[in-house]
Amino acid sequence: MTTADFVVVANRLPVDRVTGPGGDSWRRSPGGLVTALEQVMKKVDGAWVGWPGRADLDVEPFDFDGTLLVPVKLSSDDLENYYEGFSNDTIWPLYHDVIAAPRYRRVWWDSYVRVNRRFAEAAAAAAADGATVWVQDYQLQLVPRMLRELRPDLTIGYFHHIPFPAYGLYSQLPWRRQVIDGLLGADVIGFQRVADAGNFARAVRRIHHYTTKASGITIPLQDGGHRIALAKAFPISIDADGYIELAERPDIQARAAEIRESLGNPKKILLGVDRLDYTKGIRHRMKAFGELLEDGRVEVGDVTLVQVASPSRERVQAYAQLRDEIELTVGRINGQFDTMTNTAIRYLHQSYPREEMVALFLAADVMLVTALRDGMNLVAKEYVATRLDNRGVLVLSEFAGAADELASAVRINPHDIDGMKDAIVRAIDMPAAEQGRRMRALRRKVLENDVARWTRDNLDALDVARQAKLREQASA
């Protein structure tokens, strides 16, 4: 197999397999990580290791748009135990502050170790001598150490896209030491927030008593020496220019006007866009809006809430239960407050292409991001990027990573329903001058810290680590 100087390792390949009249083919996935790395992969001799998206699909490595794609086969048992089980029913709830109770099953852990080994071996085979390998996210936390054992010549990075919990929560994990050891196999360990990097460093100190200074963690080696792993925040962002280009298109602006018309041209449109996930605070948002209607502080016809909730992990019990709860809540509120011509909540349990999402952003006067815990929340940044007229209001949970950067948003604690209600009313009534002042500051931040800068900052840190490794080898 051809090898590459730069290898990305992620749970999924950056393509989807589609079946058409002419047979199966591949198309680029719409995900944020794919967009973030697309330009980088075109510029370098790159490979991408990941699952091809279907159980038991056995595919040989192939070239796609100049990138070598290396599929990792996963069985239905792997998906049930490694992915739905350990990744999304153990790690996901634990790392999101135990909003739902994590389950600790040894059979899930065993599968997680086996699958991580499979990814590490595929990456080791795809990497050229002295290559840089960048591992992505919580499904693959053991891969950095496994890779270091297989290929000590590699420079290894890891980026953690979700929160990393405080030690009081993290310590529940029966395999807490093994996961920390897995992550410490990387030369650069990236997090969304400074607080997440701090939580990780504290976990390292509690478990291993290693020295941590600034962003450096001193890791002792068997030969009596040591190496330094960098653990710091690299907040991820969006392709801001791409969203601006879409927002400038006349057809998308016309579609935004159509959306307002289809909703009865209310004075204000509130918008929520989320995966259907218990971390997103959708229930809290619905409760606040329902109470505003009950209190008479907003009225149907004047204000409509549009909630896009894209399907997510529907085979996991907590997600199926969440969907039932939200649909019941929407039905109750609409049944009580809808009129013949207007609806209180337009609930859309489906995914939409980016063009339609930008039209929704343009149509919305207020964006509600009410996450109970979120690594970043790129929807907040997408909304801001599309507001070409510097109008609109972002209501943003302080528990979303985006809150660290987007200081001019109207900040909320989503657990404080009364506070959220007041913030929504404030956003609805906000004067144009204040909207403009806040939105200009938000757009400046999003345009400065775009996805290209995120990628560049990560790769620069990896290059510094690689150069240090070369100096050590030269002096040995």
Side-chain angles (χ1 to χ4, degrees):
M1 182 176 70
T2 305
T3 58
D5 294 325
F6 180 70
V7 180
V8 171
V9 189
N11 180 62
R12 284 289 301 271
L13 288 175
V15 292
D16 296 320
R17 193 175 179 91
V18 292
T19 301
D24 286 350
S25 62
W26 299 95
R27 69 180 177 197
R28 187 170 297 280
S29 302
L33 180 63
V34 177
T35 303
L37 297 179
E38 183 177 359
Q39 297 304 317
V40 176
M41 300 304 281
K42 287 181 178 179
K43 292 177 184 176
V44 299
D45 171 23
W48 188 304
V49 176
W51 173 53
R54 294 185 191 174
D56 299 305
L57 183 59
D58 198 356
V59 183
E60 291 297 313
F62 63 97
D63 182 87
F64 182 87
D65 200 15
T67 298
L68 175 66
L69 301 188
V70 183
V72 175
K73 180 182 176 182
L74 297 181
S75 68
S76 55
D77 283 346
D78 291 331
L79 294 171
E80 181 180 347
N81 294 310
Y82 143 79
Y83 184 71
E84 293 177 355
F86 193 80
S87 295
N88 291 322
D89 217 355
T90 300
I91 292 295
W92 181 269
L94 177 65
Y95 283 29
H96 286 85
D97 291 356
V98 194
I99 294 167
R103 293 197 291 165
Y104 305 113
R105 296 190 60 194
R106 286 168 289 182
V107 66
W108 291 353
W109 167 252
D110 292 342
S111 178
Y112 187 80
V113 174
R114 284 194 303 272
V115 171
N116 272 242
R117 174 73 60 183
R118 209 174 304 158
F119 274 86
E121 290 171 348
D129 290 344
T132 295
V133 180
W134 196 13
V135 183
Q136 305 292 325
D137 222 2
Y138 66 102
Q139 302 96 342
L140 303 174
Q141 294 175 99
L142 307 182
V143 168
R145 177 170 181 167
M146 293 174 173
L147 257 181
R148 181 169 290 277
E149 292 170 349
L150 290 167
R151 293 284 305 275
D153 61 301
L154 301 176
T155 300
I156 303 167
Y158 170 89
F159 190 80
H160 195 76
H161 292 259
I162 68 172
F164 194 91
Y167 187 74
L169 294 175
Y170 180 75
S171 63
Q172 293 182 22
L173 185 65
W175 308 280
R176 59 195 183 191
R177 179 182 291 266
Q178 293 95 314
V179 170
I180 289 291
D181 288 346
L183 295 172
L184 287 176
D187 298 292
V188 177
I189 309 156
F191 297 91
Q192 299 281 27
R193 307 181 81 166
V194 172
D196 295 324
N199 286 342
F200 175 74
R202 280 186 284 276
V204 170
R205 289 198 299 271
R206 291 290 295 271
I207 290 171
H208 284 305
H209 308 291
Y210 292 166
T211 300
T212 61
K213 288 185 178 179
S215 301
I217 297 174
T218 303
I219 303 169
L221 302 176
Q222 290 183 346
D223 63 4
H226 68 271
R227 67 179 182 88
I228 303 295
L230 179 70
K232 65 175 291 187
F234 298 92
I236 198 169
S237 194
I238 63 167
D239 174 20
D241 289 341
Y243 278 91
I244 290 170
E245 287 175 13
L246 290 172
E248 289 173 338
R249 276 174 40 182
D251 61 321
I252 292 179
Q253 293 176 2
R255 175 62 186 144
E258 285 179 11
I259 290 171
R260 293 195 72 96
E261 181 73 27
S262 70
L263 294 170
N265 280 318
K267 294 177 182 176
K268 298 288 181 177
I269 294 175
L270 315 182
L271 176 64
V273 175
D274 311 89
R275 278 190 314 105
L276 188 59
D277 192 292
Y278 49 75
T279 64
K280 302 298 184 181
I282 302 173
R283 284 176 291 201
H284 299 64
R285 185 182 313 160
M286 298 285 187
K287 183 175 180 61
F289 186 65
E291 288 190 10
L292 286 173
L293 291 167
E294 290 172 2
D295 298 344
R297 297 175 70 183
V298 300
E299 293 185 3
V300 173
D302 289 339
V303 179
T304 294
L305 170 61
V306 177
Q307 175 63 56
V308 177
S310 57
S312 175
R313 301 170 190 161
E314 295 187 298
R315 289 170 50 178
V316 178
Q317 183 179 356
Y319 289 78
Q321 181 180 343
L322 174 67
R323 177 180 177 178
D324 290 344
E325 288 181 22
I326 289 174
E327 289 179 352
L328 283 170
T329 300
V330 171
R332 178 184 59 78
I333 292 173
N334 285 347
Q336 185 174 354
F337 295 104
D338 278 8
T339 67
M340 286 295 189
T341 53
N342 295 97
T343 188
I345 301 174
R346 180 68 61 86
Y347 176 70
L348 305 162
H349 180 57
Q350 51 196 287
S351 299
Y352 291 95
R354 183 178 295 187
E355 290 80 1
E356 184 74 357
M357 293 311 307
V358 171
L360 276 166
F361 293 148
L362 292 176
D365 302 287
V366 178
M367 185 80 215
L368 300 177
V369 177
T370 61
L372 307 181
R373 192 78 166 92
D374 216 338
M376 176 52 63
N377 195 288
L378 295 180
V379 167
K381 296 185 175 184
E382 291 165 1
Y383 177 75
V384 167
T386 63
R387 306 305 295 185
L388 307 178
D389 61 356
N390 290 315
R391 292 293 180 269
V393 183
L394 174 63
V395 176
L396 179 61
S397 167
E398 63 189 73
F399 304 119
D404 287 0
E405 298 175 87
L406 304 183
S408 296
V410 176
R411 290 167 63 102
I412 58 162
N413 171 2
H415 300 283
D416 176 8
I417 300 298
D418 285 336
M420 196 193 314
K421 288 161 62 178
D422 290 342
I424 291 171
V425 171
R426 180 183 174 193
I428 290 170
D429 295 337
M430 186 175 289
E434 184 179 352
Q435 290 182 38
R437 185 170 64 252
R438 288 173 176 270
M439 190 56 70
R440 277 189 291 272
L442 292 171
R443 297 193 79 241
R444 191 159 50 244
K445 181 66 72 172
V446 169
L447 295 180
E448 287 173 359
N449 298 332
D450 65 356
V451 73
R453 178 170 177 176
W454 173 77
T455 307
R456 186 170 61 250
D457 288 349
N458 275 275
L459 295 185
D460 285 351
L462 282 168
D463 190 55
V464 168
R466 187 176 69 85
Q467 296 297 333
K469 182 171 290 191
L470 290 174
R471 287 195 297 272
E472 289 172 11
Q473 291 170 352
S475 61

